[in-house]
Amino acid sequence: GRGPTGVTVSEAGQTLFVSNTTEGTISVINTQTLGEVDLIPASSSVIDRIYTGGAPAHMVMHPHKPIGYAADLEQPIVYIFTTDLDELRMTPRATPLNLTDTLSLLLPLSPALGGRMRGFTGIAISEDGEELFLTTPGGATWRGTDEGLTPGFLIRINTEHGYPEMAVTLGHKPFGVAVVDVDGARRAAVAVRGSETTGFTVVDSDFGRIDRSLTQATNLRGYEPSVISSMVNINSAGTGA
């Protein structure tokens, strides 16, 4: 599709999902043939994909259920879709979870901070699948320069109820999040692109507070969640946390 951005794979490893941000769809790829799956082959000459609308970007899979989550880059919406191909062939459409109203109760989005909630720049899910973590630039846009003072946020969502349970204020333009359980404590690590003095921020998810920040002297564009996850494990082991 147009504007491919995010990619994730099913638990069995047989199906790859690619978000097409410009098109507002998610492509389904067979990992054996590397060909795109037409979900409704008899409908037309056009390949039918999972329809989301909006601008789906970063994605994760539920670790124990046939469910995928795609975060919208432009607005506070998470698209929930099944990864079961039989179900997708019957209804190739994601269900939008609009968080605009619920997040307005948690985030201090005053007119001075941009006045409204933007989209999400990162997504991760806990090992048990019970909590979804999202990063957002808040009232700022993800586009353009990384310089600025508008705070971003880390948001934790209960996957069963779809309700935000925590919001932690971060630096400007957080991008990328990884979640790990260390010594019985759940931590989320975020790359904050607009704050190079505290570029890696580790959040204690159990208490909803910043646990530590790690100085990063270079720009954080391009850092992957796997790298961030390793940083959390190494840092925690080094401090005895």
Side-chain angles (χ1 to χ4, degrees):
R2 298 190 308 275
T5 302
V7 61
T8 188
V9 66
S10 64
E11 184 178 6
Q14 298 178 343
T15 311
L16 195 70
F17 297 87
V18 180
S19 61
N20 305 307
T21 305
T22 305
E23 188 175 274
T25 64
I26 297 172
S27 292
V28 182
I29 309 295
N30 184 311
T31 57
Q32 300 298 313
T33 65
L34 297 182
E36 185 170 4
V37 178
D38 189 349
L39 296 175
I40 310 178
S43 65
S44 66
S45 59
V46 178
I47 294 179
D48 288 285
R49 305 179 173 104
I50 303 173
Y51 176 79
T52 61
H58 307 286
M59 296 190 296
V60 291
M61 292 285 119
H62 194 288
H64 309 299
K65 298 179 181 179
I67 299 174
Y69 302 89
D72 195 294
L73 194 58
E74 303 290 353
Q75 53 191 330
I77 296 177
V78 175
Y79 304 103
I80 305 171
F81 59 95
T82 179
T83 60
D84 185 291
L85 290 183
D86 291 332
E87 292 185 21
L88 283 173
R89 289 187 176 101
M90 291 187 292
T91 310
R93 179 180 291 267
T95 301
L97 173 64
N98 194 320
L99 299 167
T100 302
D101 293 336
T102 51
L103 286 178
S104 66
L105 302 176
L106 288 174
L107 303 183
L109 294 179
S110 66
L113 297 180
R116 71 180 182 88
M117 175 74 178
R118 306 283 179 165
F120 299 115
T121 51
I123 186 170
I125 195 167
S126 59
E127 295 176 4
D128 56 16
E130 295 179 357
E131 296 176 337
L132 200 64
F133 292 79
L134 297 144
T135 51
T136 172
T141 177
W142 61 270
R143 294 181 174 84
T145 177
D146 291 341
E147 297 178 358
L149 299 176
T150 304
F153 302 92
L154 173 70
I155 298 161
R156 187 186 71 208
I157 294 176
N158 182 297
T159 56
E160 181 179 356
H161 306 293
Y163 196 85
E165 297 178 328
M166 177 195 78
V168 177
T169 303
L170 304 172
H172 186 60
K173 285 196 178 182
F175 266 76
V177 56
V179 179
V180 291
D181 291 336
V182 182
D183 297 332
R186 179 161 295 166
R187 292 189 175 92
V190 183
V192 185
R193 282 191 354 193
S195 179
E196 294 181 358
T197 57
T198 56
F200 285 108
T201 297
V202 181
V203 174
D204 184 328
S205 172
D206 297 327
F207 293 94
R209 65 191 182 194
I210 293 177
D211 184 61
R212 70 202 70 183
S213 293
L214 311 178
T215 301
Q216 176 65 28
T218 59
N219 192 285
L220 291 171
R221 288 180 183 269
Y223 270 79
E224 296 295 331
S226 59
V227 175
I228 304 172
S229 180
S230 299
M231 289 287 291
V232 177
N233 283 313
I234 292 170
N235 186 262
S236 297
T239 59

